[in-house]
Structures are given as structure tokens and as C-alpha cells.
Amino acid sequence: MDLSKLRVKGDRLRNTLEEMAKIGATPGGGVNRLALSDEDKQARNLFLSWLREINLEIMIDEVGNIFGRRSGKNNSLAPVLSGSHIDSQPKGGRFDGILGVLGALEVLRTIQENHLETLRPVMIVNWTNEEGTRFSPALAGSGVWAEKLDRDWIYARADIQGKKIGEELERIGYRGKQPAQKWPVHAYYELHIEQGPILEKEGKIIGIPAGIVSLHWFDVYVEGKSNQVGPTPMEGRNDALCAAAEMILKVNELPAKMGGNMVATVGEIHNFPNSRNIIPGRVHFTVDIRSWDDDLPGRAWAELKKDFEKIAKKRGCPLRIEETWSVKRVSFNERLVQRVKETAEKLGFPSLPMVSGAGQDAGYISQVAPTAMIFVPSIDGRSHVEVEETKWEDCTAGTNVLLHCILQSAMEE
Ligand code: GLV
Ligand code: MN
Ligand code: MN
């Protein structure tokens, strides 16, 4: 068979993505499949049934990462691995993460129905809690597997209700037996939507990230003094929400103040007790700082901390800061990045080199195995929202690039 003519089935990929999008479907056309929720469990069960249909050997590790393996001619050789994540943001989209999982499934279905014998085993993966929205940090499953995050620390991370990752894995039946530890991988490919506007703007179909920006997460706790809003004079108040409001604006102003390539965001805030007639006594908010430059966020954070302390002092609202998580910028494997580029070219898709502004499981994996990613355009550059969209033909294009990258790696000695 002339392998260069082989293509995935776009209709099947679309049907599979649409079937999966029913789980946790939101009225606005997105999905709500928070990590280790009932919806995540249901989606994992469906995913497993699809892996069984093509007779993959299934492994579930201690942090709930799901692997499916198709044998090669020489099973002593390290496998080629591909996948992404099933979990979503609250009111997230139907493509973030899941395209990389079901794209890899479509590749395996294509390989299987054509009875192809690869030299190396080919494996698919769903990494646990990529999003980091219900439980921080993000990239938890891939981080533990790559031995960059401690398993027991991850087990103990709690959501806003105090439910822990370890307990929730147990509850949904996905705390597996396999040690969550890296093993040799010959090549890791992750297909993903771009989640930004560049490919669309440039009229390109395939994005080829050279790497991923550095990411820094902080949790800030501001302590004020609650009181009745009516009888309490304005002078002398210790209003935790007003202090937080001033701090949040400092976060927003930070990139312009520092110059260089950086973004900074407060996306989550909890105000206590959150009553219209009580002066806020406590606020918890998050800070997310990202940059392609590794040094800039550290300098920016030092500035920001000084500003926070000044505001806390001025308003009499003491501050506690948790430096929750940080990952350095990563560069992908040049040989695999080049392969993605050449494959896109061979298949006739215009491509563009870029970097990923989103965190990706590929970030941790690239620290322990040769890694590359394949991006496809996001309509209007929208992501982490219900209206997140990618054209079906672009999903198919990205999956065809994935197919041919996987096949080349899987045939390598
Ligand atoms: C993950 O989706 C992130 O970029 O935060
Ligand atoms: Mn993602
Ligand atoms: Mn995401």
C-alpha cells in the first residue's frame, strides 16, 4: 500500500467529537467537563469503550492517566505516543484538548482498519487534569508522569469544596494501579487548537509551535474586617475587596509597565462572605503570568509583590501569597518540529511557525521525550468559551498531519 495516500476519515472524526461533546454539553454550545467530575468519568468511560473497539491494550495509572497501546513489529522499542486531555474549562469549548485525544484515536482507527504494521508500538493518552481550573495546578497528570510534580502533593490538591484529587480519582473509579512514572517514549505528538487568532489572521491551516511560554500561578489571600455596611463609617474600614480591586488593576497594568512579551491575568476571585450589606472580610484571587521570556515574569512578580504590599498596608488588609506553580518555557524537539513542517507541506497545508501561549501537557512531556505539537486554527481566535470553534476540515487536516508524523516515527528504527 502507498502510505503517502493514506488519509483519516474526517466524517468519523467529526461524529466522534460530536458524540463526546454531548457529555457535559452546555446550553451555549460548549462543554463543562471539569477534571474528575461525573462528566469527566462519563467521558473517560466512552473513551475507553472506543479504545476497546480497536483492541488496544489499556493501562490506567495512579493519577488517572489513560493509555491505550497498539503493538508494533518490535515491542521492545519505545512507542510513539499521542494524545491530550478530555477535561475542560467550566463552560469551555468542544475542541480544547479533546481534539488531540480523538484525533489520535482517529489515527489509530485508520492504522487499524488498514491493517498497518508499524515497527514501534503506537500509543494514545488522555492526561488527567490538564486545565487546572477545578484543581490547581494545570498539567497535573502529565507533570506527575514526567516526574516533575510529586504524586502525593497532587493527590492532596483540593477544589473549592475541599475535595481532593486523590479522593475524586477514587470516587470516579480512575485511580489506577500502574505507577505514574515516565517510561521511554520515542516521540510524543500533540494535536491541539491554536486558541488564539494568528493562524486565521495569516490564512494558514497548520501552526507549528517551537515551544510553550513560561507559566506562573499565584494565589493571593487578602484579609479585611467584615462589618455592617450601613452604620460603619467609610473612614477606617478594612475592605478586603477594595484592596483586591486595586491589586487586580496592578496585575492588568503589569505587562505594559514591564515592557517585553508578557501577559498577566486575574481570572478567579472569591469574596467572603459575599453579601451586599457586609463589608468584605476576605478575598482570594489568582494571578496568572506568562511570557516567552524566562526572566521577565520573575522581575515582574517582584514589582507586583511590592505594589501588593503597599496596597495591603494602606488599606490595613494583610496579605498571604502562595506561589502555587511555575513552569519554565520549553522548546520542542527540532527534528520533530521539522517533521511536522515537512508533513504539512507534503499534504499541501500552508503552515506557520509560532509559540504556544497556552499551557500544554506537551510542555512536561517535552522535558522527558522528543515532542512536537500541531496546531489548527481557532475561529475568531476564541477559546475557553462555549463558542470555541474550529472548522471540521481543519480538524481533519491537523489529524492527517498527525497521522503521517506518527507513521514516520513509528517506522523508525
Ligand atoms: C490551559 O488551558 C492553560 O493554558 O491555562
Ligand atoms: Mn488544552
Ligand atoms: Mn484549556
Side-chain angles (χ1 to χ4, degrees):
M1 159 176 209
D2 179 3
L3 278 189
S4 69
K5 300 249 159 42
L6 192 67
R7 296 292 180 271
V8 301
K9 291 192 169 144
D11 289 351
R12 181 169 58 191
L13 174 67
R14 175 181 176 165
N15 290 340
T16 308
L17 280 160
E18 285 182 332
E19 192 61 30
M20 184 57 94
K22 290 180 187 160
I23 301 177
T26 58
V31 295
N32 194 356
R33 249 184 347 245
L34 294 178
L36 312 182
S37 61
D38 291 347
E39 291 76 20
D40 187 9
K41 173 184 177 164
Q42 211 186 325
R44 285 163 176 261
N45 291 349
L46 179 61
F47 175 57
L48 279 185
S49 74
W50 286 334
L51 299 190
R52 288 196 185 101
E53 261 172 31
I54 51 168
N55 299 317
L56 299 189
E57 183 194 335
I58 291 162
M59 283 166 283
I60 301 171
D61 76 15
E62 300 160 309
V63 293
N65 295 322
I66 300 173
F67 299 92
R69 181 174 177 280
R70 183 180 187 272
S71 289
K73 219 186 287 184
N74 185 347
N75 291 315
S76 65
L77 293 176
V80 177
L81 180 65
S82 183
S84 191
H85 59 99
I86 282 177
D87 71 320
S88 84
Q89 290 286 322
K91 291 199 179 181
R94 295 174 301 151
F95 297 89
D96 177 3
I98 197 66
L99 174 64
V101 176
L102 299 182
L105 176 68
E106 177 54 35
V107 167
L108 277 157
R109 284 173 168 169
T110 305
I111 292 176
Q112 184 75 355
E113 75 192 349
N114 285 281
H115 311 288
L116 296 185
E117 193 174 36
T118 55
L119 179 64
R120 293 170 179 275
V122 178
M123 294 185 67
I124 183 171
V125 61
N126 165 48
W127 302 110
T128 293
N129 186 38
E130 190 273 351
E131 294 288 2
T133 174
R134 178 179 176 202
F135 301 101
S136 73
L139 322 181
S142 53
V144 174
W145 183 85
E147 300 175 17
K148 304 294 173 192
L149 296 174
D150 178 65
R151 184 200 65 181
D152 292 334
W153 181 69
I154 288 297
Y155 278 164
R157 301 296 294 172
D159 70 5
I160 208 79
Q161 260 96 43
K163 298 221 166 88
K164 297 193 173 129
I165 289 186
E167 297 158 7
E168 286 294 273
L169 276 168
E170 199 76 62
R171 184 185 69 80
I172 68 162
Y174 277 91
R175 186 161 163 165
K177 296 268 181 290
Q178 196 88 12
Q181 280 164 5
K182 65 175 191 275
W183 25 260
V185 167
H186 180 63
Y188 175 73
Y189 293 104
E190 186 167 342
L191 168 66
H192 206 281
I193 53 168
E194 177 199 350
Q195 308 187 269
I198 300 170
L199 288 175
E200 187 178 70
K201 200 168 119 239
E202 300 289 323
K204 308 288 185 189
I205 294 181
I206 301 294
I208 306 170
I212 308 174
V213 296
S214 69
L215 260 106
H216 309 268
W217 281 11
F218 307 92
D219 283 81
V220 183
Y221 301 86
V222 186
E223 204 62 42
K225 192 165 147 199
S226 290
N227 213 339
Q228 229 289 16
V229 297
T232 312
M234 293 309 287
E235 320 71 83
R237 288 188 179 197
N238 307 113
D239 184 324
L241 187 56
C242 286
E246 279 195 59
M247 292 174 195
I248 291 166
L249 286 177
K250 292 287 180 199
V251 176
N252 184 249
E253 290 156 6
L254 192 64
K257 180 175 164 187
M258 298 303 296
N261 173 289
M262 189 174 82
V263 290
T265 312
V266 174
E268 185 178 343
I269 180 165
H270 305 276
N271 175 51
F272 301 95
N274 210 29
S275 162
R276 71 172 71 211
N277 43 8
I278 302 178
I279 297 168
R282 186 160 59 90
V283 170
H284 165 205
F285 67 90
T286 60
V287 179
D288 176 309
I289 299 177
R290 305 182 184 202
S291 176
W292 182 245
D293 178 340
D294 250 340
D295 300 327
L296 191 57
R299 282 187 277 124
W301 174 243
E303 285 289 312
L304 190 64
K305 224 158 88 170
K306 270 193 254 159
D307 284 335
F308 280 8
E309 278 155 10
K310 263 191 241 157
I311 296 163
K313 196 159 168 223
K314 182 180 79 183
R315 291 198 172 261
C317 293
L319 196 63
R320 182 169 69 80
I321 295 170
E322 193 187 335
E323 303 199 356
T324 312
W325 179 60
S326 167
V327 275
K328 283 195 177 343
R329 126 185 174 184
V330 295
S331 295
F332 293 143
N333 180 280
E334 278 173 26
R335 201 173 64 88
L336 295 193
V337 170
Q338 184 61 21
R339 170 165 294 161
V340 175
K341 182 172 182 284
E342 285 168 8
T343 305
E345 230 162 70
K346 260 189 232 149
L347 297 180
F349 303 125
S351 68
L352 190 74
M354 56 195 328
V355 298
S356 175
Q360 310 282 0
D361 292 308
Y364 276 130
I365 307 313
S366 72
Q367 297 177 41
V368 297
T371 293
M373 290 191 79
I374 300 159
F375 276 2
V376 287
S378 293
I379 296 178
D380 280 339
R382 304 282 310 277
S383 182
H384 282 188
V385 289
E386 290 170 288
V387 297
E388 176 183 280
E389 279 287 353
T390 290
K391 286 184 199 155
W392 295 114
E393 69 219 59
D394 292 349
C395 293
T396 306
T399 308
N400 273 317
V401 174
L402 181 67
L403 167 72
H404 285 280
C405 287
I406 288 177
L407 283 178
Q408 286 171 73
S409 290
M411 298 303 189
E412 269 169 351
E413 294 275 332

